[in-house]
Amino acid sequence: MARVYVSSVINGPSDRVWARVRDFNGLPSWHPGIAESRIENGEPSDKIGCVRDFRLRNGDRIREKLLGLSDFDLFFTYAILESPMGVENYVATLRLTPVTDGNRTFAEWTAEFDCPAEREADLVATVGDGVFQSGFDALKRQFGG
Amino acid sequence: MIRIVRSTIIDAPTDAVWAVLRDFNGHDRWHPAVAKSTIERGQSADKLGCVRHFFLRDGSELRERLLTLSDLEQTFSYCLLDTPVPLFNYVAHVRLVPVTDSDRTFWDWRCSFSTRPGMEEEMKRMVGEDIYDAGFAAIRNHLAVSAGVEEHT
């Protein structure tokens, strides 16, 4: 089981950062790597079990299922259904926690998945740097550092 | 039941912050409110259930019991046993988490307690500001001083 953990501090209150990221169909509005997204079967994007079908700027297509969402604890969890990455049992969670000192946000993004051992280092880097950290970097820019 | 949550970012890796915080008997070396602390019955400060017996600078005498301690999660919990102020069923949790993109520390300090009617605001201020916020500032100062000492040696 490969694990990825990336965390950052966003210079905005957690309710505002949450408003930016909670839409399971909203990746293109804040994540620079995502070109377009839709929710299958016309379901609302906060219906647990809904599936997002999105396309990266490099053309890759990924389908992910929403497993959990909490407006109280500020996290959502999802699984990959289909992707070109060659991973299995991929489950990821994005979680926000208020930093009371300075009204900032502590953001954590974790993933666990199975893959062939020889591809693990590359996949951990792709997910951790290419997806998670680049998403946090974009949020930091959007919230002014 | 009153809940207090305070959190901050410390400009040091979690291992450096944890090295200071994990010593349940070490708060008299960094927290400005604590004058002197000892662990009762000669127990080790990282033995679950040990009791720290300490005095504040204003002379108050308190006892707290270590409930949980994890070097893996960098967390510990403790409860108040005796205090001269009306804090009842006080249980507190300290948690450190790495900020991976800048090698800093997210520090979350929270508790729940009850108090006498009319004392709520005073106790919230005392715990949240005089203990937790002041503790954050003290650790910042303590680590900066330590780093300065290392640079000179």
Side-chain angles (χ1 to χ4, degrees):
Chain A
M1 179 73 79
R3 288 189 172 80
V4 179
Y5 178 81
V6 172
S7 59
S8 187
V9 179
I10 314 292
N11 197 15
S14 53
D15 56 343
R16 286 188 54 220
V17 180
W18 179 244
R20 182 69 52 92
V21 302
R22 97 177 275 281
D23 181 0
F24 195 56
N25 196 33
L27 276 178
S29 74
W30 65 271
H31 197 297
I34 313 299
E36 59 184 18
S37 175
R38 70 180 186 92
I39 301 288
E40 296 180 356
N41 301 317
E43 291 186 322
S45 65
D46 54 4
K47 180 178 187 300
I48 306 305
C50 74
V51 175
R52 64 182 176 192
D53 180 343
F54 61 98
R55 197 170 52 77
L56 277 57
R57 298 214 178 272
N58 68 10
D60 286 349
R61 186 170 157 243
I62 300 179
R63 291 175 67 238
E64 292 177 336
K65 180 178 194 164
L66 181 64
L67 302 180
L69 173 73
S70 170
D71 286 319
F72 182 74
D73 288 316
L74 306 186
F75 77 87
F76 60 83
T77 299
Y78 57 96
I80 287 182
L81 300 180
E82 267 185 76
S83 86
M85 293 195 297
V87 294
E88 291 184 2
N89 305 312
Y90 179 104
V91 175
T93 298
L94 175 60
R95 179 185 298 273
L96 306 181
T97 309
V99 180
T100 63
D101 175 11
N103 205 15
R104 293 167 290 170
T105 300
F106 178 56
E108 299 172 277
W109 210 337
T110 60
E112 291 187 351
F113 56 85
D114 292 315
C115 66
E118 66 274 15
R119 298 192 55 234
E120 179 171 327
D122 278 350
L123 284 166
V124 165
T126 298
V127 171
D129 301 335
V131 183
F132 296 177
Q133 187 63 50
S134 71
F136 284 160
D137 287 344
L139 287 173
K140 287 201 279 192
R141 284 192 300 273
Q142 291 162 31
F143 285 90
Chain B
M1 183 76 80
I2 294 167
R3 289 177 197 282
I4 305 280
V5 180
R6 286 290 202 277
S7 53
T8 194
I9 305 294
I10 302 289
D11 286 332
T14 56
D15 287 350
V17 182
W18 182 243
V20 178
L21 291 188
R22 97 178 281 286
D23 181 359
F24 193 56
N25 195 35
H27 54 163
D28 58 355
R29 289 195 296 277
W30 60 269
H31 201 293
V34 181
K36 178 161 180 50
S37 179
T38 54
I39 300 288
E40 294 182 353
R41 307 171 79 91
Q43 291 189 321
S44 165
D46 52 9
K47 181 181 186 305
L48 289 194
C50 75
V51 174
R52 64 182 179 191
H53 186 164
F54 59 102
F55 294 86
L56 302 183
R57 298 216 177 272
D58 66 9
S60 314
E61 185 173 357
L62 295 88
R63 295 171 69 237
E64 290 178 335
R65 182 186 296 279
L66 182 65
L67 299 176
T68 71
L69 176 72
S70 168
D71 283 321
L72 178 66
E73 303 290 342
Q74 297 184 324
T75 60
F76 67 96
S77 307
Y78 57 99
C79 67
L80 257 174
L81 300 178
D82 291 312
T83 162
V85 296
L87 286 175
F88 310 126
N89 299 310
Y90 174 97
V91 181
H93 307 274
V94 167
R95 181 168 68 104
L96 303 183
V97 191
V99 181
T100 63
D101 72 356
S102 51
D103 205 18
R104 293 181 291 168
T105 298
F106 171 72
W107 173 3
D108 186 288
W109 199 351
R110 59 182 62 205
C111 68
S112 58
F113 60 86
S114 53
T115 186
R116 281 203 294 270
M119 295 292 288
E120 293 89 347
E121 291 312 310
E122 185 179 339
M123 290 300 107
K124 279 157 89 168
R125 190 196 54 73
M126 189 194 78
V127 172
E129 295 175 23
D130 299 350
I131 302 177
Y132 294 5
D133 289 345
F136 291 159
I139 284 290
R140 273 200 190 89
N141 187 43
H142 183 84
L143 291 173
V145 168
S146 301
V149 168
E150 280 170 23
E151 280 166 16
H152 291 298
T153 53

